[in-house]
Amino acid sequence: MTGPIDDDPRWSLISGQQSKCPCCGEDSATLLSLAYDRPDPFPSDAPGHQNAMLNATDGDILTEDFCRMGEYRFVRCVLEFPLRGLDDDLVLGVWGSLSVGNFGKYVDRFDSGDQAELGDMFSWLMNAVPRDRRQPVKMVMVPRDGRQRPQLYFSDEADLMYPLQQNGLSYDELADLLQGYGHDLRAKNRLN
């Protein structure tokens, strides 16, 4: 459920197809759709593979949608935050953990596109959101049909990100979050 619409005039700085990040020149569509290429604990120098390699190899592996690291299993997901001043959402491509059993069930249904029947599953968010967070966060993973990436939802109402996902981000909250990813939305305001 989203909160009230925020009429902050600064939303116009990132709305529309012509809008660009003032610090790096990225367009607003790219700015509102950021992704992690791997779970934070997975080695950054490990190569990625196609999904078909998951069952063709043993040991640790990173594919387009799955990751296996020792006894841990991860799935590429989306974490969405409504924006209180735009009709868009901030969509973060992140990784969530699953138990070995749930991971197997999810992978078995992946090609059929019938994952929603699995129902909600416990997960840990395996990327730092916000970027300065140091501990994994309890989440609910909601599989979706049609090979869409599952959605992650904060499950702890006391978590600082829970109300932001429920009520949406103000312009300043979005700017603060994006600043951790190297984007300075406020730079344009300082230039004017």
Side-chain angles (χ1 to χ4, degrees), residues 56-164:
T57 62
D58 292 326
D60 296 352
I61 186 169
L62 174 70
T63 73
E64 302 151 302
D65 294 291
F66 308 109
C67 183
R68 182 176 59 222
M69 186 177 82
E71 64 190 71
Y72 301 104
R73 304 293 183 267
F74 311 104
V75 173
R76 190 183 293 266
C77 301
V78 293
L79 180 59
E80 298 177 2
F81 294 89
L83 301 175
R84 293 198 314 238
L86 298 177
D87 289 333
D88 293 319
D89 291 339
L90 171 66
V91 179
L92 300 177
V94 296
W95 292 81
S97 70
L98 284 177
S99 68
V100 171
N102 282 340
F103 181 83
K105 291 174 190 174
Y106 186 85
V107 170
D108 288 347
R109 289 176 174 248
F110 186 74
D111 286 330
S112 73
D114 295 327
Q115 294 87 15
E117 290 179 11
L118 293 170
D120 298 356
M121 298 183 274
F122 175 81
S123 181
W124 291 99
L125 176 60
M126 297 310 302
N127 300 106
V129 177
R131 294 284 293 183
D132 60 354
R133 187 180 288 239
R134 297 293 166 235
Q135 299 296 321
V137 179
K138 292 180 185 179
M139 306 293 285
V140 174
M141 185 183 294
V142 179
R144 301 186 291 173
D145 286 339
R147 293 183 69 169
Q148 294 183 75
R149 294 207 165 108
Q151 292 177 297
L152 284 180
Y153 294 94
F154 291 92
S155 62
D156 181 0
E157 292 182 18
D159 188 280
L160 68 125
M161 300 304 288
Y162 181 90
L164 300 178

Side-chain angles (χ1 to χ4, degrees), residues 40-54:
D40 286 349
F42 199 80
S44 61
D45 60 348
H49 300 278
Q50 293 185 354
N51 285 339
M53 294 298 295
L54 182 68

